[in-house]
Amino acid sequence: MGLTVDTINQRVRNAEYAVRGELAVKSEEYRARLAKGDKSLPFDQVISANIGNPQQLDQKPLTFFRQVLSILENPLLLDKEDVLLNHLGYQSDVIARAKKLLASVGSVGAYSASNGVPVIKESVAKFIEERDGFPADPAHIYLSTGASSGVNTLLNVICASKKTGIMIPIPQYPLYTASLALLDATPVPYYLDEAKNWGTDLDTIRKSYEQGKADGLDVRCVVIINPGNPTGSSLPEDDIRAVIDFANEKDLLVMADEVYQTNVFVGKFHSFKSVLRTMQQENPGKYDKVQLASLHSLVGLAPEVEANVYKFVSIMLCAPVVGQCMVELMVNPPREGEPSFALYDKEYKGIFDGLQERAAALHKAFSEMEGVSCAQPQGSMYLFPTITLSKKAVDAAKADGRTADEFYAMELLKATGICVIPGSGFGQVEGTLHFRTTFLAPGTEWVGSIVKFHKDFMDKYR
Amino acid sequence: MGLTVDTINQRVRNAEYAVRGELAVKSEEYRARLAKGDKSLPFDQVISANIGNPQQLDQKPLTFFRQVLSILENPLLLDKEDVLLNHLGYQSDVIARAKKLLASVGSVGAYSASNGVPVIKESVAKFIEERDGFPADPAHIYLSTGASSGVNTLLNVICASKKTGIMIPIPQYPLYTASLALLDATPVPYYLDEAKNWGTDLDTIRKSYEQGKADGLDVRCVVIINPGNPTGSSLPEDDIRAVIDFANEKDLLVMADEVYQTNVFVGKFHSFKSVLRTMQQENPGKYDKVQLASLHSLVGLAPEVEANVYKFVSIMLCAPVVGQCMVELMVNPPREGEPSFALYDKEYKGIFDGLQERAAALHKAFSEMEGVSCAQPQGSMYLFPTITLSKKAVDAAKADGRTADEFYAMELLKATGICVIPGSGFGQVEGTLHFRTTFLAPGTEWVGSIVKFHKDFMDKYR
């Protein structure tokens, strides 16, 4: 018989990862059919609003970054600096940066140290220092193959058994539940407060923790996603303080998923590290033992624990070096007065403003749709509206073997080619329905398609 | 207290990964001291013979590959085709390939499908077809973040519990034991036959299997590394046939780690897939249910099992797209008659011949060293010589808290700056001692350093 689905690792079988599940696969089928000239579909393009993938849509790469990377890939270009400068529009700072990076990595085709190229980790530390106003130590920075890989590493080190409880927000990015399922550890869910723009609520967190303890779990970590995914929220400083205070009281490791920190439209991004350091300054001694892993740096981990983080990442050798170099460029972009600054600044602002405009336009459309309400867009690249559907629609979903939000998302895909993810993929309060959409797709036509589909759907199942 | 090394995941704590362990870390310290001008060390450079990292040493990247990648990173270069052609020496096929790849990936800054870019998987399938003379289906090809990640995915899906037994060669690449430790599955070691140039021996494999069964294990997979790591062997077709026959008899999944297939100096590389297809052709029906996962393609897995492979990789989203494009270039290099062929061919052969020469030179040096013997270099980038040390040396190692091969490797590093990995990191027959070295470092001076160190060491502990 060999290997069958009944004999494989059942933790893999049971893991769910909605972001790349049935809807995403179906949308790719539609895309392939359209590419082959199929005219039988009621739409002429597929809009992938299911994952945050800006450059799959129309977002242009930043020129400075890509110019530097082109030289890293082909260092022989440095033999023709005059051609780069005079015929290809490369500025002198592009060439200088490429030389600096090549001097430290040697070749982007070589493995680096497992925790990352030292020079790049120094740039990251400097970036964190400038962001937070507190010192950062490159020794506690690990460059990973994307944030998903970083989360995977940390959870592998933290989760010791089925009794390990990890507090995760609901709704959450499903990487967390999927990774916990693979590791056979137990999620301890706490709900975000939709009425407070998907902020954290300390009472809820406390009750969830107590429930975890009552269930016999060793609750040892609280995960916060800020800016929010899928919620699009941005936490105020007071929420962050409350979480740190609670983590200190209960000896929890704080895992702060801060990958969307650049995309904040309302107020200002507060990093967990800067807030922790501020609290430590204000209350000498009180918060010294707080352990924090941000998806930028590790703070306060025991050296032997960190050694195991190192060992885990070393088993996969190292993160792709081109990606590591891209991190260096991201944390150390052209500064005012440097030759590439004007273009970089224009492109960067264009992307940021464009995202904010699209978020606002989509939010406005949702606010005018029957039975839909949506928190104000504050950051990241997502909106997570609530939808209220009729009993008739819920029954139709049941007959189709789906939850109501899955049914709604599938019908939306079939009618418009727009792929969103149902709220059940992220978790939602029992009895409520949501979906997550990115606001990355260009133009307004697709927003109009959602509005029209929604009206038809509501009418059909009234 | 928060997280301590005693409360973390003990499977991570217990995993061992010698390739990037204490010796590697110490060698990096030496490298940093030399870079800072430290003159107190008895050598003036560190030679990292511990991992196969050719471009960290002097191996030059292949021009065609890097030219294409430079355009993928900065597609705006395509606005200046004349400059590329007339001033930078790019050939027309470089530009054509970059256009083809960009048309299918869109942007290398975008996520791809989780199992890889479809057009690239088609190129891989074509490469396998030409290599083997049998059809290959892109649907069963997964592009992973390196082979380590592919092995990790497969083992995650295969290993269901502590009772799962995975047959691994000894010596082995320690990725396997480390991954099995993390997954809490059980390695079922079988020894390679040093006297037969580190080939497989069916009797040994059978006894090892029976032992695993007697220990109550559900033995479900046999791993073969060919060309060998750390052994530098290349399996004859008969060995491969015997393994497939045995796997068929016992319903074992064959996992063939074939990453070094290009580097074969003696005879010819036989892929497990081509041998399996040949056996199926010769014996209709007999081998139909053999399941094979090569680090190039999956054959015969149940569709539902493969769906779980897909889900597992999708949790990490997708392999880096630049790396995927590099795979396309590797499997589909310039052909005779194409403008870039002459340079590509010259560079490729230069690397191949250089490796073979270095392997031969190192092998010759080993053959002249007292108490050292080494199988003929056949492939990959490694040699794995046996060393016989005196009782006095073994006692000195014990006093230092190390095994004798660890002690030897550490003394070698301290005296010469050459970093190799002791055989115990890969496994070896009880009572024997080995080390693994790459033969990538340029020049012959470092070989001389090993010879001299060895003589001094033998004299000191005579």
Side-chain angles (χ1 to χ4, degrees):
Chain A
M1 275 298 298
L3 216 55
T4 72
V5 75
D6 293 321
T7 60
I8 62 164
N9 183 350
Q10 298 300 298
R11 297 188 296 280
V12 174
R13 189 181 187 185
N14 296 333
E16 285 186 17
Y17 194 61
V19 183
R20 292 230 154 176
E22 185 195 359
L23 279 150
V25 171
K26 187 158 207 81
S27 75
E28 290 305 323
E29 277 170 32
Y30 284 152
R31 192 190 305 278
R33 280 170 60 182
L34 290 172
K36 283 189 177 138
D38 187 333
K39 302 281 182 209
S40 69
L41 295 168
F43 44 84
D44 54 15
Q45 65 170 326
V46 167
I47 305 262
S48 299
N50 55 314
I51 54 166
N53 198 0
Q55 292 188 16
Q56 189 198 41
L57 300 164
D58 79 331
Q59 186 174 307
K60 293 280 168 294
L62 291 151
T63 304
F64 175 80
F65 294 170
R66 296 305 200 93
Q67 288 176 335
V68 173
L69 293 178
S70 69
I71 298 175
L72 300 185
E73 292 289 2
N74 187 14
L76 295 177
L77 289 174
L78 291 173
D79 295 347
K80 306 276 172 118
E81 276 187 37
D82 59 314
V83 177
L84 296 178
L85 291 167
N86 302 325
H87 296 284
L88 293 173
Y90 284 44
Q91 303 284 351
S92 59
D93 52 350
V94 169
I95 293 171
R97 185 67 65 87
K99 286 183 177 170
K100 175 189 157 182
L101 285 169
L102 281 171
S104 69
V105 303
S107 163
V108 294
Y111 296 119
S112 74
S114 291
N115 48 2
V117 175
V119 165
I120 297 176
K121 298 204 299 166
E122 281 164 26
S123 283
V124 172
K126 222 168 128 195
F127 164 82
I128 297 175
E129 283 180 4
E130 286 177 16
R131 183 194 71 187
D132 292 346
F134 291 98
D137 183 351
H140 303 304
I141 290 166
Y142 289 73
L143 302 181
S144 61
T145 312
S148 297
S149 164
V151 168
N152 181 49
T153 298
L154 288 167
L155 289 179
N156 262 279
V157 172
I158 297 169
C159 294
S161 80
K162 219 184 184 60
K163 290 277 170 214
T164 299
I166 306 289
M167 301 187 70
I168 57 169
I170 299 293
Q172 52 109 26
Y173 183 59
L175 165 67
Y176 291 94
T177 37
S179 301
L180 292 174
L182 293 176
L183 286 164
D184 206 18
T186 306
V188 178
Y190 67 88
Y191 286 96
L192 298 173
D193 187 351
E194 187 165 6
K196 263 180 51 189
N197 255 320
W198 296 109
T200 52
D201 178 79
L202 195 64
D203 280 347
T204 310
I205 290 180
R206 190 176 291 278
K207 273 182 205 141
S208 150
Y209 174 87
E210 299 300 347
Q211 183 62 52
K213 296 298 278 187
D215 292 345
L217 296 174
D218 173 13
V219 183
R220 47 171 70 178
C221 172
V222 54
V223 173
I224 310 278
I225 309 175
N226 177 48
N229 180 0
T231 62
S233 66
S234 172
L235 290 185
E237 189 179 344
D238 284 350
D239 282 17
I240 296 173
R241 281 180 174 258
V243 168
I244 292 175
D245 205 59
F246 182 73
N248 187 42
E249 180 190 328
K250 303 295 186 192
D251 267 339
L252 301 175
L253 171 75
V254 179
M255 193 189 303
D257 180 339
E258 301 181 320
V259 297
Y260 288 110
Q261 59 188 262
T262 313
N263 269 25
V264 171
F265 308 136
V266 174
K268 162 181 183 313
F269 169 71
H270 303 277
S271 78
F272 268 78
K273 188 178 170 213
S274 70
V275 175
L276 171 61
R277 290 293 188 233
T278 304
M279 290 166 78
Q280 286 172 333
Q281 217 168 42
E282 293 167 354
N283 306 274
K286 183 166 176 194
Y287 295 102
D288 281 2
K289 66 184 173 54
V290 174
Q291 299 186 325
L292 167 67
S294 155
L295 295 197
H296 267 284
S297 57
L298 301 174
V299 174
L301 290 203
E304 288 164 315
V305 173
E306 219 178 302
N308 278 282
V309 172
Y310 175 84
K311 185 169 64 184
F312 187 86
V313 298
S314 77
I315 293 173
M316 292 288 128
L317 291 172
C318 67
V321 176
V322 176
Q324 293 187 47
C325 291
M326 184 60 215
V327 167
E328 203 280 336
L329 299 172
M330 182 185 80
V331 299
N332 188 16
R335 315 273 165 149
E336 215 162 337
E338 292 174 0
S340 292
F341 179 75
L343 179 61
Y344 170 80
D345 193 51
K346 179 167 165 269
E347 292 175 339
Y348 182 93
K349 285 190 178 139
I351 291 171
F352 187 89
D353 294 346
L355 287 177
Q356 191 163 9
E357 279 162 26
R358 286 171 199 182
L362 196 57
H363 182 255
K364 181 162 178 295
F366 288 149
S367 71
E368 289 166 3
M369 277 157 58
E370 179 190 352
V372 174
S373 74
C374 183
Q376 186 198 14
Q378 296 191 305
S380 78
M381 23 177 107
Y382 308 105
L383 292 180
F384 196 64
T386 300
I387 42 176
T388 309
L389 299 179
S390 66
K391 181 165 181 315
K392 196 168 162 193
V394 175
D395 290 343
K398 228 174 262 170
D400 198 37
R402 299 176 194 279
T403 61
D405 53 351
E406 280 167 10
F407 180 68
Y408 180 90
M410 185 56 85
E411 294 300 304
L412 174 68
L413 174 62
K414 286 184 194 163
T416 65
I418 297 168
C419 187
V420 300
I421 304 290
S424 49
F426 306 93
Q428 52 199 348
V429 172
E430 181 77 30
T432 67
L433 299 169
H434 300 76
F435 63 86
R436 186 189 81 166
T437 177
T438 67
F439 42 76
L440 299 167
T444 53
E445 205 186 322
W446 71 287
V447 179
S449 299
I450 297 179
V451 172
K452 181 174 178 312
F453 161 79
H454 185 76
K455 188 173 177 313
D456 294 348
F457 185 93
M458 295 303 273
D459 286 345
K460 183 169 176 189
Y461 295 104
R462 202 170 293 283
Chain B
M1 274 300 298
L3 217 53
T4 71
V5 74
D6 293 320
T7 61
I8 62 165
N9 184 350
Q10 297 300 298
R11 297 189 296 280
V12 174
R13 190 182 185 184
N14 296 333
E16 284 185 18
Y17 194 61
V19 184
R20 292 228 155 180
E22 185 195 359
L23 279 150
V25 171
K26 186 157 208 82
S27 75
E28 290 305 322
E29 277 170 31
Y30 285 152
R31 192 190 304 279
R33 280 169 59 182
L34 291 171
K36 284 191 178 136
D38 187 333
K39 302 281 182 210
S40 69
L41 295 168
F43 44 84
D44 54 15
Q45 64 170 327
V46 168
I47 305 262
S48 299
N50 55 313
I51 55 166
N53 198 1
Q55 291 189 17
Q56 188 199 39
L57 299 165
D58 80 330
Q59 186 173 307
K60 293 280 168 294
L62 291 151
T63 305
F64 174 79
F65 295 170
R66 296 305 199 93
Q67 287 176 334
V68 174
L69 293 178
S70 69
I71 299 175
L72 301 185
E73 291 289 2
N74 187 15
L76 294 178
L77 290 173
L78 291 172
D79 295 346
K80 307 276 171 115
E81 277 187 36
D82 58 312
V83 178
L84 296 178
L85 292 167
N86 302 325
H87 297 283
L88 294 173
Y90 284 44
Q91 302 284 355
S92 58
D93 54 350
V94 169
I95 293 170
R97 185 68 65 86
K99 284 182 178 169
K100 175 190 157 182
L101 284 168
L102 280 172
S104 71
V105 304
S107 162
V108 294
Y111 296 120
S112 75
S114 291
N115 47 2
V117 175
V119 166
I120 297 175
K121 297 204 301 167
E122 281 165 26
S123 283
V124 172
K126 222 168 128 197
F127 164 83
I128 296 175
E129 282 180 6
E130 287 177 16
R131 183 195 70 188
D132 292 345
F134 292 97
D137 182 349
H140 303 304
I141 290 166
Y142 290 74
L143 302 180
S144 61
T145 312
S148 297
S149 163
V151 168
N152 181 49
T153 297
L154 288 166
L155 289 179
N156 261 278
V157 172
I158 297 167
C159 295
S161 79
K162 218 184 186 60
K163 290 275 168 214
T164 299
I166 306 289
M167 300 188 69
I168 56 168
I170 298 293
Q172 49 111 27
Y173 183 60
L175 166 66
Y176 291 94
T177 37
S179 301
L180 292 174
L182 292 178
L183 287 163
D184 205 18
T186 306
V188 178
Y190 68 90
Y191 286 94
L192 298 172
D193 187 351
E194 186 165 8
K196 264 180 49 189
N197 255 321
W198 296 110
T200 51
D201 179 77
L202 195 64
D203 280 347
T204 310
I205 289 180
R206 190 176 291 278
K207 274 181 206 141
S208 151
Y209 173 86
E210 299 301 347
Q211 183 62 51
K213 295 299 277 187
D215 293 344
L217 295 176
D218 173 14
V219 183
R220 45 171 71 176
C221 172
V222 55
V223 173
I224 310 279
I225 310 175
N226 177 48
N229 180 0
T231 62
S233 66
S234 173
L235 289 185
E237 188 178 343
D238 284 350
D239 282 17
I240 296 174
R241 280 179 174 262
V243 168
I244 291 174
D245 206 59
F246 182 74
N248 187 41
E249 180 190 329
K250 302 295 186 192
D251 267 340
L252 300 176
L253 171 75
V254 179
M255 194 188 304
D257 180 339
E258 302 181 320
V259 298
Y260 289 110
Q261 58 189 263
T262 313
N263 271 24
V264 171
F265 309 136
V266 174
K268 160 180 184 315
F269 168 72
H270 303 278
S271 78
F272 267 79
K273 189 180 170 209
S274 70
V275 176
L276 171 62
R277 290 292 189 236
T278 304
M279 291 167 77
Q280 287 172 335
Q281 218 167 44
E282 293 167 356
N283 306 273
K286 183 166 174 195
Y287 295 102
D288 282 2
K289 65 182 174 51
V290 173
Q291 300 186 324
L292 167 67
S294 153
L295 295 195
H296 268 284
S297 56
L298 301 174
V299 174
L301 291 202
E304 289 163 316
V305 173
E306 217 177 305
N308 279 282
V309 173
Y310 174 84
K311 185 169 65 186
F312 187 86
V313 298
S314 78
I315 293 174
M316 291 288 129
L317 291 171
C318 66
V321 176
V322 176
Q324 293 187 48
C325 291
M326 184 60 216
V327 168
E328 204 280 337
L329 300 171
M330 182 185 80
V331 298
N332 188 16
R335 315 275 166 150
E336 215 161 339
E338 292 175 358
S340 293
F341 178 76
L343 179 61
Y344 169 80
D345 193 50
K346 179 168 165 267
E347 291 175 339
Y348 182 93
K349 285 190 178 139
I351 291 172
F352 187 88
D353 294 345
L355 286 178
Q356 191 162 9
E357 280 162 25
R358 287 172 199 182
L362 196 56
H363 181 256
K364 181 162 177 293
F366 288 150
S367 70
E368 291 166 2
M369 276 157 58
E370 178 189 354
V372 173
S373 75
C374 183
Q376 187 196 15
Q378 297 191 307
S380 78
M381 22 177 109
Y382 309 104
L383 292 180
F384 195 65
T386 300
I387 42 176
T388 309
L389 300 180
S390 66
K391 178 160 183 318
K392 197 167 160 194
V394 174
D395 290 344
K398 227 175 261 169
D400 198 37
R402 299 177 194 279
T403 61
D405 54 350
E406 280 167 9
F407 180 68
Y408 180 90
M410 184 56 85
E411 294 301 303
L412 175 67
L413 175 62
K414 285 183 194 163
T416 64
I418 297 168
C419 186
V420 301
I421 304 289
S424 49
F426 306 94
Q428 53 200 349
V429 172
E430 181 78 31
T432 67
L433 299 170
H434 299 77
F435 63 86
R436 186 189 81 166
T437 177
T438 67
F439 43 76
L440 299 166
T444 53
E445 204 187 323
W446 71 286
V447 178
S449 300
I450 296 180
V451 173
K452 181 175 177 313
F453 161 79
H454 185 76
K455 190 174 174 314
D456 294 348
F457 185 94
M458 296 302 274
D459 286 346
K460 181 168 176 188
Y461 296 105
R462 202 171 294 282

